Amino acid sequence: MTAALLGTLAVLALVDSASFGTLLIPIWLMLAPGRLRPGRVLVFLVTVAAFYWAVGLLLLAGADTLMTALDQDSPVLTYAQLVLGAVLFVGAFFVGREPKDGSSPAPGRFSRWRERTVSAEGRGGWPALMGLALGAATLEVATMLPYLGAVGMLTAADLPVAQRVLLLTGYCVVMVLPALVLLGARIAARRLIEPLLIRVSAWMAKSSGETIAWVMGIAGFLLLRDAASRIGLLEAIDVSIG
């Protein structure tokens, strides 16, 4: 386990923490009319983290089986990560651009999910919030590029299974940590934090395409750098420059 791997995983987890399911919906729960119910926000976040943790375990198990079939020393997965990182990094420059006519994207998706959030908070109780969390996480799992990249890095790392599971657990905790910090601030200083929550919510809903582009770019760069380092590409470039 290296400091570089830990640092890269931490950055990817923080990027993942700014997604629709890990930050925007929890903020809506904090801004719901009536008395704040911290327990319900915690139920939502724990459900999301547990879902991604379970998905990560399944992906790790499947990737280990694939690596065994390919041979542990095969560089196929590393080169696949290199290509994926390059595609994500380049693709980030073409995603989330504003329409040429200057119009903004329709907010239908966010309006529907905001209504579901308020409904689950107000009437459905914990089962409704858990269902909302699972629904949001299921819709987002295919687009959680940093998370999928982190699982790929854990698979490629020469680590015991127990350490991989521990790192995956830490990743899922860091992924919901910003929302937990905001919840604590909301409890301690409502008047100061509510305006910030409203601004963050409005910005995330308005600039969803730009956010996806940033996520793709950061995830692509980190995956590209990690794969290039493991195959010795960075050292080769340094030697050629020197």
Side-chain angles (χ1 to χ4, degrees):
M1 189 185 303
T2 64
L5 176 62
L6 290 175
T8 302
L9 291 175
V11 172
L12 288 173
L14 289 174
V15 173
D16 257 343
S17 71
S19 76
F20 180 74
T22 55
L23 189 61
L24 187 54
I25 293 182
I27 286 178
W28 287 344
L29 290 172
M30 296 178 212
L31 294 174
R35 181 173 58 88
L36 174 67
R37 300 177 181 180
R40 295 196 171 188
V41 182
L42 290 175
V43 167
F44 180 91
L45 291 173
V46 169
T47 303
V48 170
F51 175 85
Y52 279 108
W53 183 76
V55 170
L57 289 181
L58 292 175
L59 291 174
L60 282 176
D64 281 338
T65 302
L66 178 60
M67 286 187 68
T68 300
L70 291 174
D71 183 356
Q72 291 286 352
D73 296 327
S74 172
V76 172
L77 293 181
T78 302
Y79 280 102
Q81 179 183 323
L82 185 74
V83 172
L84 176 61
V87 170
L88 291 177
F89 185 76
V90 174
F93 293 94
F94 301 94
V95 173
R97 290 185 174 183
E98 293 292 334
K100 293 182 179 180
D101 59 3
S103 60
S104 57
R109 177 197 178 197
F110 295 100
S111 298
R112 289 193 299 270
W113 276 97
R114 188 181 287 112
E115 291 174 5
R116 293 182 188 181
T117 301
V118 174
S119 175
E121 164 68 15
R123 297 192 298 271
W126 289 15
L129 285 171
M130 293 177 69
L132 179 70
L134 290 174
T138 301
L139 287 175
E140 282 200 316
V141 69
T143 61
M144 295 287 275
L145 302 174
Y147 184 71
L148 298 177
V151 171
M153 292 174 61
L154 288 175
T155 301
D158 185 18
L159 296 173
V161 174
Q163 288 190 14
R164 292 181 185 176
V165 174
L166 180 62
L167 288 173
L168 181 67
T169 303
Y171 187 101
C172 293
V173 171
V174 174
M175 191 170 64
V176 298
L177 188 59
L180 291 173
V181 171
L182 287 177
L183 175 61
R186 168 67 174 77
I187 294 172
R190 174 179 179 177
R191 291 183 179 179
L192 291 177
I193 200 65
E194 272 197 352
L196 173 62
L197 294 178
I198 292 172
R199 288 196 295 270
V200 172
S201 173
W203 177 81
M204 289 186 69
K206 182 179 179 181
S207 59
S208 58
E210 182 180 346
T211 302
I212 293 174
W214 275 103
V215 168
M216 287 180 61
I218 295 173
F221 171 76
L222 292 174
L223 294 176
L224 187 63
R225 187 189 66 174
D226 176 72
S229 175
R230 283 193 279 114
I231 64 177
L233 185 59
L234 295 181
E235 290 78 359
I237 293 175
D238 287 341
V239 170
S240 64
I241 293 177

